[in-house]
């Protein structure tokens, strides 16, 4: 089976070119200005083609909390957002802290057949922060990395041993860096807006203290520490320093943290409640600077669906988190339009680097010999993100019913079109 | 001028004119409370539900008396003990009671923003009787009414608010309201009880008791919640009294005839020495009395709906 994608504007991390893409079975056979014979020809019409986006940080709630999201609905939301590979976190019910659960997740996603799902295993059994999981066994079963995300690994010795052990398998630890004691019962960023609203604050230092510790544990062990959802200017300074020292530290930022500030919380809207919380305008600017100067390695959504009833509560009681898969492209394109990053950097942040971090040698670039995972983007399309477009079970997005620009119009996985926008 | 709002959620939202109007209305009710028959039929046939998700006998009683003096049917509903404990959501609880034709809800709740959340999801009028750390507007109104009574116009007065600013909804409401009325506000308290960022308050932050009370026309002492002490906010009551309490020596640094206020209940010997609490210029009991008038004003302005003849309460 040969498929020819005609009139592609290919955007890779290092180049932009106009060409046709010939796919044979599930591999990119050639990239050419010729028109080779094919069983099927699809005219891309000059739209942007990026390597399939890789989201290293999602929550699919499956097993156990399928009413929020399951692997099927999560897969659909992913491809509708142009994402072809996801790494779901381990805070499922039961926790993904064993081979059987990992296998279950991988298999369920394969049955659905839209995306590659690479589970993140928990660092500790039951995410209790005490005993290490069987990392080797879980890696064999398809796990890609380890994290107790949702919770920090509070005990520094446990984190040290986890890093040492994971390093032996060449795996990285994804750190949800949060000093729970300092966070107290906080629900939003501590600052002007918490003063105005009377909502309890979470200081920036809650995150920075743990990042500082995690950096030093990386130094101690030589292991690869990837810091999840960085949200403060101070965090980025620490990470920049760690990189200058040559420690194996990388980090990600979410689209909401480079887009929104805590000013949004003045109305007590629980769709803006997330952890880490939205920070100040200065922090938002710092995220943009960090993306522009390369301190931030990649963009991940921290897609966190919740049921509508759970968000329709007193602010203090509503859960943290918002959905993100389907707003990744428009929000990142906003950075391109405003000159913060280039399109090539977008391909790098959303696909090339995540592939490198996850050691996926056949992904992350539109190139001969690579897997034919492709995202076709209409960068100019303006639309309203609404319930009809939304594929997640969660509607807890601050961008719901808001105008957006730029969208995945076709998502191709293993050479097959798995999603098509028809709005 | 009239009060057009459906709800009274916070002083933060009100214009100076609305605040003054509320105070003027309360003044008229204060006169009614001086009469031997302290009752008017203004809200006859109206149903006011005191919906308290957090205990407060004082505030609830004050609202209850206010409602009864206006002729309303006032019903007390302590929610923590019943429905929410059974797993019912906040809004379901509110809508259930609303369906029994409630006109006004007086609500207290432990979470900031929750009264606003209720107001957005009910047709009934909602009065905030305290939400989390956020606001306690009727307490602020009674404080201002008391100040007006003793000091006249608030504009230009120097008011010191001392104590647990961070965790005090009374302080917050007063800060928002008094700034709008032109008060020169000074705030002081232990570091553990001051917000990290006080810029939005736009108040003078003091570094000692002496600085705070010097030249003050009004000294407002906040209540220390002893139950919080285990949570690292204070090393001891003894030390609090020493550095943050009001005694006669400190009082004497204030302006002549400065009044002393406290939202109650007092911890004698902690926020205030007994000689201060019982001093002639202490207006703590008049504050309580004014609480009824202010709550009558709030219930009256929200309880009277369109189409009713909005006659003057006097
Ligand atoms: Zn996290």
């Amino acid at each position: 089976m040969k498929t020819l994608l005609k009139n592609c504007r290919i955007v890779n991390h290092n180049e932009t070119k106009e060409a046709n893409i010939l796919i044979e079975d599930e591999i990119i056979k050639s990239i050419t200005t010729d028109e080779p014979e094919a069983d099927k020809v699809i005219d891309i019409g000059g739209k942007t083609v990026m390597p399939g986006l890789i989201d290293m940080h999602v929550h699919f709630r499956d097993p156990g909390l399928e009413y929020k999201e399951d692997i099927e609905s999560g897969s659909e939301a992913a491809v509708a957002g142009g994402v072809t590979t996801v790494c779901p976190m381990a805070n499922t019910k039961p926790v993904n802290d064993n081979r059987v659960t990992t296998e279950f997740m991988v298999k369920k996603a394969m049955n659905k057949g839209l995306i590659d799902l690479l589970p993140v295993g928990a660092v500790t059994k039951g995410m209790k922060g005490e005993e290490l999981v069987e990392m080797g066994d879980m890696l064999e079963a398809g796990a890609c990395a380890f994290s107790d995300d949702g919770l920090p690994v509070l005990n520094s010795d446990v984190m040290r041993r986890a890093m040492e052990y994971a390093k032996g398998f060449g795996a990285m630890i994804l750190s949800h860096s949060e000093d729970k004691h300092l966070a107290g019962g906080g629900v939003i960023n501590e600052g002007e807006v918490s003063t105005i609203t009377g909502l309890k604050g979470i200081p920036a230092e809650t995150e920075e203290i743990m990042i500082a510790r995690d950096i030093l544990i990386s130094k101690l062990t030589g292991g690869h520490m990837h810091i999840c959802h960085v949200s403060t200017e101070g965090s980025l300074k620490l990470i920049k320093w760690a990189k200058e020292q040559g420690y194996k530290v990388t980090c990600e930022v979410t689209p909401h943290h480079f887009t929104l500030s805590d000013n949004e919380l003045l109305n007590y809207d629980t769709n803006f409640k997330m952890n880490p919380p939205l920070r100040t305008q200065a922090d938002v600017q710092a995220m943009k600077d960090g993306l522009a100067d390369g301190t931030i390695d990649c963009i991940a959504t921290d897609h966190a669906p919740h049921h509508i009833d759970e968000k329709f509560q007193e602010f203090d009681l509503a859960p943290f988190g918002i959905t993100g898969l389907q707003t990744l492209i428009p929000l990142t394109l906003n950075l391109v339009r405003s000159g913060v990053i280039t399109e090539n950097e977008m391909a790098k942040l959303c696909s090339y680097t995540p592939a490198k971090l996850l050691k996926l040698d056949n992904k992350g670039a539109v190139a001969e010999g690579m897997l034919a995972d492709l995202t076709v983007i209409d960068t100019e399309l303006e639309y309203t993100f609404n319930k009809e477009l939304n594929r997640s079970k969660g509607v807890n997005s601050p961008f719901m019913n808001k105008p957006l620009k730029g969208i995945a119009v076709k998502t191709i996985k293993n050479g097959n079109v798995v999603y098509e926008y028809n709005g | 001028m009239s009060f057009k709002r459906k709800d009274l959620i916070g002083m933060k939202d009100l214009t100076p004119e609305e605040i003054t109007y509320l105070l003027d209305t309360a003044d008229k009710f204060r006169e009614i409370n001086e009469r031997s028959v302290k009752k008017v039929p203004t809200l006859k046939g109206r149903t006011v539900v005191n919906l308290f998700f957090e205990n407060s006998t004082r505030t609830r009683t004050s609202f209850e008396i206010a409602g009864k003096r206006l002729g309303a049917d006032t019903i007390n509903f302590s929610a923590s003990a019943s429905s929410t404990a059974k797993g019912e959501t906040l809004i379901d609880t509110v809508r259930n009671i609303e369906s029994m034709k409630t006109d006004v809800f007086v609500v207290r709740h432990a979470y900031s923003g929750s009264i606003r959340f209720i107001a957005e999801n009910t047709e009934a009028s909602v009065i905030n009787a305290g939400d989390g750390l956020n606001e306690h507007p009727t307490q602020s109104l009674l404080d201002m009414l008391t100040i007006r009574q003793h000091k006249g116009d608030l504009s230009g007065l120097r008011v010191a608010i001392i104590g647990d600013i961070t965790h005090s909804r009374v302080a917050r409401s007063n800060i928002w309201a008094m700034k709008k009325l032109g008060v020169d506000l000074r705030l002081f308290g232990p570091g553990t009880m001051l917000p990290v960022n006080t810029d939005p308050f736009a108040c003078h932050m003091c570094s000692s008791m002496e600085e705070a009370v010097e030249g003050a026309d009004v000294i407002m002492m906040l209540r220390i919640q002893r139950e919080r002490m285990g949570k690292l906010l204070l090393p001891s009551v003894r030390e609090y009294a020493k550095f943050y309490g009001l005694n006669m020596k400190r009082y004497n640094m204030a302006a002549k005839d400065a009044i002393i206020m406290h939202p109650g209940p007092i911890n004698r010997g902690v926020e205030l020495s007994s000689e201060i609490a019982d001093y002639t210029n202490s207006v703590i009991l008049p504050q309580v009395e004014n609480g009824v008038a202010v709550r009558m004003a709030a219930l009256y302005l929200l309880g009277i709906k369109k189409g009713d003849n909005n006659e003057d309460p006097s």
Side-chain angles (χ1 to χ4, degrees):
Chain A
M1 174 78 181
K2 287 183 184 174
T3 308
L4 183 69
L5 306 180
K6 268 176 54 180
N7 300 320
C8 302
R9 190 172 157 269
I10 298 169
V11 174
N12 270 317
H13 67 282
N14 56 354
E15 53 165 10
T16 303
K17 63 182 171 198
E18 280 166 30
N20 302 329
I21 302 170
L22 181 68
I23 300 167
E24 193 171 334
D25 298 322
E26 48 191 41
I27 306 295
I28 297 172
K29 184 81 182 165
S30 65
I31 293 173
T32 168
T33 45
D34 299 339
E35 277 194 40
E37 288 272 310
D39 306 299
K40 192 173 159 191
V41 177
I42 302 172
D43 191 348
I44 299 299
K47 298 222 165 22
T48 299
V49 179
M50 284 199 192
L53 307 186
I54 300 172
D55 190 345
M56 284 178 58
H57 191 149
V58 301
H59 297 269
F60 275 1
R61 314 299 190 195
D62 189 352
L65 300 161
E66 295 86 351
Y67 71 96
K68 292 177 194 254
E69 189 88 291
D70 55 28
I71 286 171
E72 286 88 353
S73 61
S75 298
E76 285 177 22
V79 292
V83 174
T84 51
T85 302
V86 301
C87 306
M89 290 294 166
N91 61 344
T92 46
K93 220 174 166 181
V95 169
N96 179 22
D97 60 3
N98 61 81
R99 175 180 200 116
V100 176
T101 309
T102 301
E103 279 172 349
F104 162 84
M105 293 166 78
V106 172
K107 206 166 165 199
K108 205 167 174 189
M110 277 172 81
N111 287 343
K112 180 73 177 170
L114 296 181
I115 55 168
D116 284 335
L117 184 147
L118 314 174
V120 175
V123 173
T124 61
K125 288 178 188 159
M127 288 174 54
K128 290 198 173 83
E130 292 159 5
E131 295 172 78
L132 300 188
V133 303
E134 293 175 338
M135 291 184 183
D137 207 26
M138 291 180 72
L139 286 165
E140 264 183 20
C144 66
F146 298 92
S147 179
D148 279 357
D149 180 65
L151 293 174
V153 176
L154 279 174
N155 183 318
S156 301
D157 188 38
V158 173
M159 188 56 121
R160 172 201 179 157
R161 300 306 173 193
M163 286 284 282
E164 286 172 342
Y165 195 72
K167 189 187 167 198
F169 292 97
M172 63 179 162
I173 302 281
L174 315 178
S175 172
H176 170 114
S177 303
E178 180 187 12
D179 181 334
K180 278 279 176 196
H181 296 292
L182 190 55
V187 290
I188 69 167
N189 180 50
E190 181 165 311
E192 277 196 29
V193 179
S194 67
T195 296
I196 294 170
T197 56
L199 292 169
K200 277 174 239 141
I202 302 172
E205 288 75 6
T206 297
E207 176 176 312
E208 293 158 3
I209 284 168
M210 284 299 260
I211 288 179
R213 183 207 70 168
D214 288 342
I215 286 170
L216 295 175
I217 289 179
S218 169
K219 166 182 180 250
L220 172 66
T221 60
H224 180 182
M225 184 76 82
H226 177 82
I227 312 287
C228 295
H229 42 55
V230 170
S231 74
T232 80
E233 189 177 1
S235 297
L236 284 183
K237 282 187 180 154
L238 290 165
I239 290 163
K240 198 167 187 172
W241 174 81
K243 289 184 168 188
E244 283 162 9
Q245 304 309 303
Y247 307 148
K248 253 183 142 175
V249 174
T250 54
C251 72
E252 72 195 24
V253 67
T254 73
H256 46 275
H257 286 116
F258 65 65
T259 304
L260 304 169
S261 77
D262 62 349
N263 281 327
E264 308 285 349
L265 273 315
L266 289 166
N267 289 323
Y268 302 90
D269 184 343
T270 57
N271 284 320
F272 292 90
K273 180 177 176 182
M274 47 206 86
N275 187 18
L278 294 177
R279 304 289 188 181
T280 66
Q281 268 310 327
D283 293 310
V284 174
Q285 186 55 48
M287 295 306 118
K288 292 179 180 172
D289 296 344
L291 285 162
D293 72 15
T295 306
I296 296 172
D297 298 275
C298 60
I299 295 171
T301 65
D302 195 6
H303 177 78
H306 290 292
H307 193 267
I308 192 163
D309 291 341
E310 296 168 319
K311 280 289 192 182
F312 188 67
Q313 286 197 76
E314 298 91 310
F315 196 92
D316 281 65
L317 296 183
F320 291 100
I322 63 166
T323 65
L325 282 164
Q326 287 181 255
T327 46
L328 168 63
I329 287 176
L331 298 182
T332 307
L333 278 173
N334 282 343
L335 297 179
V336 174
R337 273 190 285 271
S338 57
V340 175
I341 57 170
T342 63
E343 271 185 310
N344 304 104
E345 283 164 337
M346 175 174 169
K348 187 175 179 184
L349 289 158
C350 299
S351 186
Y352 179 78
T353 303
K356 284 274 168 289
L357 293 173
L358 294 163
K359 301 192 167 71
L360 306 172
D361 296 335
N362 58 348
K363 295 187 190 180
V366 185
E368 282 171 23
M370 303 295 265
L371 201 62
D373 284 4
L374 303 165
T375 303
V376 183
I377 300 172
D378 184 336
T379 56
E380 299 307 306
L381 188 78
E382 295 181 36
Y383 61 102
T384 301
F385 181 52
N386 57 22
K387 282 183 183 163
E388 284 68 52
L389 280 178
N390 183 47
R391 292 285 180 276
S392 169
K393 286 190 183 179
V395 292
N396 51 312
S397 166
F399 303 102
M400 194 57 77
N401 301 316
K402 302 272 163 62
L404 295 172
K405 191 173 176 186
I407 197 166
V409 287
K410 245 185 226 355
T411 305
I412 295 167
K413 178 82 194 84
N414 296 346
N416 300 313
V417 175
V418 289
Y419 173 79
E420 226 166 332
Y421 171 78
N422 32 30
Chain B
M1 161 90 208
S2 62
F3 195 79
K4 295 261 196 286
R5 291 173 190 266
K6 173 173 104 56
D7 313 295
L8 177 59
I9 306 299
M11 305 308 290
K12 199 164 52 202
D13 316 323
L14 301 183
T15 63
E17 293 72 28
E18 285 172 317
I19 296 171
T20 305
Y21 186 69
L22 272 159
L23 291 174
D24 292 345
T25 310
D27 251 332
K28 291 171 185 162
F29 283 114
R30 213 157 53 77
E31 289 156 27
I32 290 173
N33 290 333
E34 302 292 319
R35 298 176 192 169
S36 57
V37 178
K38 307 172 185 61
K39 202 156 175 167
V40 286
T42 320
L43 291 187
K44 198 161 191 275
R46 299 268 187 243
T47 304
V48 176
V49 174
N50 288 327
L51 186 51
F52 276 55
F53 294 90
E54 199 183 64
N55 287 332
S56 166
T57 316
R58 291 168 158 251
T59 305
R60 205 207 56 213
T61 306
S62 179
F63 269 107
E64 198 176 342
I65 292 172
K68 289 203 154 84
R69 287 194 182 159
L70 291 170
D73 297 314
T74 55
I75 288 121
N76 291 321
F77 188 95
S78 299
S80 53
S82 57
S83 60
T84 47
K86 292 177 191 158
E88 189 178 47
T89 69
L90 177 64
I91 297 303
D92 282 342
T93 302
V94 169
R95 285 180 181 159
N96 262 299
I97 303 170
E98 185 192 3
S99 66
M100 299 180 234
K101 306 295 173 213
T102 302
D103 298 292
V104 182
F105 281 112
V106 175
V107 193
R108 166 161 297 192
H109 199 288
Y111 296 137
S112 301
S114 53
I115 311 292
R116 179 186 167 128
F117 176 54
I118 291 170
E120 284 168 353
N121 288 286
T122 175
E123 298 291 314
S125 288
V126 175
I127 297 177
N128 183 354
D131 66 324
L133 313 180
N134 188 33
E135 288 231 37
H136 193 356
T138 58
Q139 176 73 37
S140 164
L141 288 164
L142 76 85
D143 288 340
M144 290 189 290
L145 190 67
T146 310
I147 295 171
R148 261 190 13 175
Q149 211 179 317
H150 290 86
K151 296 282 164 194
D153 191 11
L154 274 88
S155 175
L157 286 181
R158 182 175 289 184
V159 177
I161 303 181
I162 293 154
D164 190 350
I165 309 284
T166 300
H167 304 95
S168 171
R169 48 199 172 205
V170 176
R172 270 197 166 70
S173 280
N174 270 323
I175 291 165
W176 305 132
M178 290 185 183
K179 291 295 290 182
K180 288 179 194 179
L181 298 192
V183 169
D184 168 19
L185 265 179
R186 319 207 137 201
L187 308 182
F188 181 61
T192 48
M193 297 180 171
L194 297 174
V196 167
N197 189 325
T198 53
D199 294 351
F201 290 156
C203 292
H204 181 90
M205 304 304 296
C206 300
S207 48
S208 71
M209 243 337 241
E210 288 68 24
E211 185 191 356
V213 298
E214 187 167 15
D217 300 296
V218 178
I219 304 172
M220 184 177 287
M221 303 301 293
L222 299 172
R223 197 169 95 80
I224 288 305
Q225 290 169 295
R226 285 166 180 250
E227 63 273 15
R228 285 190 198 281
M229 292 190 30
K231 295 179 186 170
L232 293 174
L233 294 183
L234 281 183
S236 73
V237 174
R238 179 186 156 277
E239 177 147 307
Y240 187 85
K242 184 173 168 186
F243 291 95
Y244 306 97
L246 186 64
N247 53 32
M248 201 50 86
K249 186 172 163 231
R250 285 170 177 161
Y251 172 75
N252 285 331
M253 301 173 72
K256 194 169 175 295
D257 292 329
I259 56 169
I260 300 149
M261 308 181 82
H262 190 289
I266 307 170
N267 296 303
R268 283 185 181 259
V270 183
E271 302 103 32
L272 302 170
S273 66
S274 261
E275 61 174 339
I276 286 287
D278 303 328
Y279 189 61
T280 35
N281 285 342
S282 156
V283 296
I284 297 168
L285 290 175
Q287 279 179 275
V288 177
E289 201 183 321
N290 283 332
V292 175
V294 155
R295 283 156 189 145
M296 285 172 84
L299 286 170
Y300 166 75
L301 294 174
L302 299 182
I304 293 284
K305 290 194 181 144
K306 258 204 344 244
D308 287 353
N309 71 4
N310 199 344
E311 89 273 19
D312 203 84
S314 58

